[in-house]
Amino acid sequence: MQITGKTKITGIFGYPIEHTLSPLMHNAAFKAIGINFCYLPFRVKPENLGTAVDAIRALNIVGVNITIPHKVNVMSFLDEINEEALFIGAVNTILNKDGRLTGYNTDGRGFMKSLEENGIDIKNKKVLIIGAGGAARAVGYYICKEAASLIISGRTRQKADRLADDLRNISKCQISVTDSIEDLKSYDIIVNSTPLGLKEDDPLPVKIDNLFNHQVICDLIYKETPLIKEARKRNCKTLNGLGMLLWQGVLAFRIWTSKEPPVEIMRKALESAFI
Ligand code: NAP
């Protein structure tokens, strides 16, 4: 990549940031379609978030992704937030248009694209989401528009109740909250939206013996978690979060460049990190 006086800057704000795969995916895409853009990681401490957002304007940065732990707090520094991100209560993409910053959330649509390309249809299905944080809100926003019923299981009951109430306001789907995820047989699709599985010694988010081979098991974590491995052994259809990561990036790319993203190049760049 040749940096010139005309290079347009994009990037990602997070803390820590060293683990991010997004620069691989976006820089490969810019190169592939021959546009003079680059994507940089920015290690932004929580106490510097406001200053960092001001720098998007001051340095004429085209846009950034936002990751842990800034997705919620960044909202108060923006000029505008689109409807989807407002509902979700978190922003993962910012666009700078002449100094005016708009926040978007592409995570939920990214998840739906990942389901679609894997032939997983949630129309009229019974779906269980485990967890009620930002990612659950993002995927729930779309799942409730197609599923027949959606059941939320959250460690903090209040958060799960709030998400259920919010989703009832935007869909006709049957929505409920459960404290028990022992009996899983009736669910068609189960989505883990907790971080359980990121660490080696994490417990599984559900009892593996309670899964059945007619079920689809999705994990939003983008690496192969023990949940995904065990579910595959039980002949369940499985989906990890790599597709969601890809598609949320594809959607952000489109927001920043208004160009058609080279999806397969972006996919290969992400997959290369796991070889
Ligand atoms: P978050 O807002 O912090 O929410 C996490 C949820 O998991 C909360 O409901 C939390 O419960 C619950 N939880 C946390 N630790 C738990 C534990 N030990 N046992 C049971 N429940 C637990 O995080 P998030 O942004 O939603 O992210 C969740 C996961 O999704 C992360 O692993 C992240 O990597 C993944 N993700 C993937 C993508 C992608 O592109 N593939 C995008 C976004 C997120 P409390 O509310 O009680 O704390």
Side-chain angles (χ1 to χ4, degrees):
M1 178 193 316
Q2 178 106 38
I3 302 285
T4 70
K6 292 181 183 158
T7 303
K8 297 202 162 114
I9 311 290
T10 62
I12 182 164
F13 290 0
Y15 187 78
I17 197 61
E18 292 73 13
H19 64 283
T20 180
L21 301 179
S22 293
L24 275 179
M25 154 167 84
H26 286 289
N27 287 319
F30 296 145
K31 190 173 169 201
I33 66 166
I35 56 174
N36 195 353
F37 276 62
C38 79
Y39 186 104
L40 302 170
F42 294 100
R43 190 166 181 268
V44 177
K45 287 189 178 165
E47 61 269 31
N48 294 329
L49 182 60
T51 319
V53 173
D54 278 343
I56 299 174
R57 299 186 184 92
L59 301 176
N60 197 28
I61 291 172
V62 172
V64 293
N65 283 135
I66 301 293
T67 189
I68 288 171
H70 303 314
K71 284 185 179 184
V72 175
N73 293 343
V74 79
M75 295 175 80
S76 62
F77 300 109
L78 304 179
D79 301 303
E80 204 176 323
I81 294 167
N82 88 339
E83 188 191 322
E84 181 181 357
L86 258 187
F87 175 89
I88 295 163
V91 158
N92 79 335
T93 302
I94 296 174
L95 174 68
N96 175 11
K97 219 170 182 188
D98 304 322
R100 191 171 169 76
L101 304 185
T102 305
Y104 300 84
N105 192 311
T106 64
D107 282 338
R109 265 181 299 154
F111 175 72
M112 296 306 282
K113 285 293 291 181
S114 175
L115 288 181
E116 186 189 311
E117 71 172 355
N118 283 282
I120 301 167
D121 188 0
I122 61 166
K123 252 185 213 108
N124 303 322
K125 298 278 166 51
K126 183 171 176 182
V127 181
L128 171 69
I129 300 184
I130 305 164
R137 294 186 68 85
V139 301
Y141 181 80
Y142 283 97
I143 291 173
C144 75
K145 294 182 182 188
E146 294 191 20
S149 55
L150 171 59
I151 295 87
I152 302 161
S153 159
R155 181 172 66 173
T156 307
R157 174 76 196 212
Q158 260 180 327
K159 267 195 189 174
D161 282 338
R162 208 190 116 211
L163 175 55
D165 284 344
D166 290 348
L167 291 173
R168 281 185 201 108
N169 286 332
I170 60 161
S171 81
K172 292 190 181 115
C173 174
Q174 276 196 354
I175 296 168
S176 55
V177 172
T178 182
D179 290 321
S180 161
I181 47 172
E182 284 290 313
D183 184 6
L184 300 173
K185 195 165 188 179
S186 69
Y187 299 111
D188 301 304
I189 301 175
I190 298 176
V191 182
N192 174 38
S193 78
T194 77
L196 288 174
L198 273 177
K199 289 193 266 116
E200 289 283 305
D201 54 350
D202 279 342
L204 288 163
V206 291
K207 275 207 186 112
I208 281 300
D209 290 341
N210 297 354
L211 297 181
F212 295 87
N213 63 7
H214 68 273
Q215 296 174 319
V216 178
I217 310 300
C218 306
D219 203 324
L220 303 190
I221 297 173
Y222 56 69
K223 62 178 192 177
E224 289 280 296
T225 57
L227 171 66
I228 291 289
K229 287 181 192 152
E230 291 296 327
R232 200 176 293 132
K233 281 188 206 158
R234 277 167 172 69
N235 294 321
C236 299
K237 189 171 172 88
T238 59
L239 185 71
N240 69 24
L242 199 63
M244 176 176 172
L245 179 68
L246 166 70
W247 284 102
Q248 64 74 32
V250 165
L251 295 162
F253 186 100
R254 207 176 273 144
I255 289 170
W256 298 324
T257 66
S258 303
K259 299 214 181 297
E260 208 37 52
V263 177
E264 290 317 311
I265 300 276
M266 296 171 84
R267 192 193 309 276
K268 258 196 205 137
L270 278 184
E271 286 171 356
S272 72
F274 295 91
I275 294 169

